[in-house]
């Protein structure tokens, strides 16, 4: 089966200086850009990215967030915070990323498999149409959208691997729990995530 790389939410609001900064986010953005450049042409059959793309996600935005289901305002459509991080943006714009999947316009929508391309195609359908069966998942944050995307990929029948060296987690305890949950779901894991501590 063909292998694809899914890059999850490497956006300004999730990196240092953003509205929900994850420690190491900017460094992971740089590392992921390097991974994509090294893989160009022979590493992956396809490379795609996801983006939080909120219009009115209801209770997902809160003035008193619990940082599990509710968060401060972030990645609003048309805002600078919703843009790819500058360490990754040039790589995404270079043509190395085959498609971008937008998620969460009117919901929390943590998983890339809940998103769609600009033409409305779902991530699962897009991958299957191209004969992809194996997935590597990287991005931000290990304990939220990376986890959700990897779990949904496994549920959809893909063979999923998370490259933890290319992820950043919000907190040590939730990242450890996410890693255990991924293992139990049969997701393969390599490396170690950057974690706030």
């Amino acid at each position: 089966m063909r292998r694809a790389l899914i890059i999850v939410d490497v956006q300004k609001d999730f990196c240092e200086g953003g509205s929900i900064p994850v420690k190491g986010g900017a460094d992971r953005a740089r590392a992921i850009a390097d991974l994509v450049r090294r893989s160009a042409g022979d590493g992956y059959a396809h490379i795609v990215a996801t983006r939080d793309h909120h219009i009115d996600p209801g209770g997902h935005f809160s003035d008193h967030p619990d940082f599990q289901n509710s968060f401060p305002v972030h990645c609003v459509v048309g805002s600078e915070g919703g843009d790819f991080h500058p360490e990754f943006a040039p790589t995404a714009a270079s043509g190395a990323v085959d498609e971008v999947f937008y998620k969460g316009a009117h919901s929390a929508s943590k998983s890339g498999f809940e998103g769609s391309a600009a033409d409305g195609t779902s991530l699962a359908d897009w991958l299957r149409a191209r004969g992809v069966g194996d997935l590597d998942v990287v991005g931000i944050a290990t304990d939220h959208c990376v986890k959700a995307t990897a779990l949904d990929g496994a549920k959809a029948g893909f063979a999923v691997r998370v490259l933890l060296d290319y992820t950043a987690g919000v907190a040590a305890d939730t990242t450890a729990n996410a890693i255990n949950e991924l293992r139990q779901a049969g997701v393969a894991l390599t490396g170690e995530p950057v974690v706030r501590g």
Side-chain angles (χ1 to χ4, degrees):
M1 296 295 287
R2 307 179 86 198
R3 181 174 295 276
L5 176 67
I6 301 177
I7 300 163
V8 177
D9 299 358
V10 181
Q11 294 168 266
K12 289 182 180 180
D13 271 346
F14 298 135
C15 298
E16 293 83 351
S19 64
I20 313 176
V22 178
K23 179 183 177 183
D27 180 65
R28 296 303 82 196
R30 187 178 310 111
I32 290 167
D34 288 343
L35 173 65
V36 170
R37 285 191 291 271
R38 289 197 312 271
S39 301
D42 60 4
Y44 292 101
H46 296 285
I47 298 174
V48 301
T50 70
R51 282 174 64 171
D52 256 18
H53 196 67
H54 296 308
I55 296 171
D56 181 14
H60 187 55
F61 285 171
S62 174
D63 292 332
H64 305 285
D66 64 13
F67 293 95
Q68 288 299 313
N69 297 304
S70 61
F71 296 86
V73 174
H74 61 278
C75 298
V76 173
V77 172
S79 72
E80 186 177 338
D83 293 342
F84 286 129
H85 188 274
E87 292 287 351
F88 175 66
T91 301
S94 72
V97 173
D98 298 311
E99 188 61 85
V100 178
F101 293 84
Y102 300 90
K103 58 190 178 69
H106 298 283
S107 66
S109 201
K110 290 185 178 181
S111 168
F113 284 90
E114 297 175 281
S116 60
D119 67 0
T121 304
S122 73
L123 176 55
D125 287 347
W126 192 95
L127 293 167
R128 287 191 183 111
R130 288 154 181 82
V132 172
D134 300 321
L135 304 176
D136 284 353
V137 181
V138 301
I140 305 169
T142 318
D143 36 353
H144 292 284
C145 296
V146 169
K147 176 187 84 168
T149 299
L151 289 175
D152 278 358
K155 286 177 192 170
F158 296 95
V160 182
R161 178 172 65 177
V162 174
L163 310 183
L164 293 172
D165 287 342
Y166 297 93
T167 69
V170 173
D173 58 343
T174 53
T175 299
N177 289 340
I179 288 171
N180 287 335
E181 193 174 345
L182 290 165
R183 281 198 185 105
Q184 290 170 5
V187 173
L189 303 167
T190 67
E192 295 291 333
V194 171
V195 183
R196 180 178 292 161

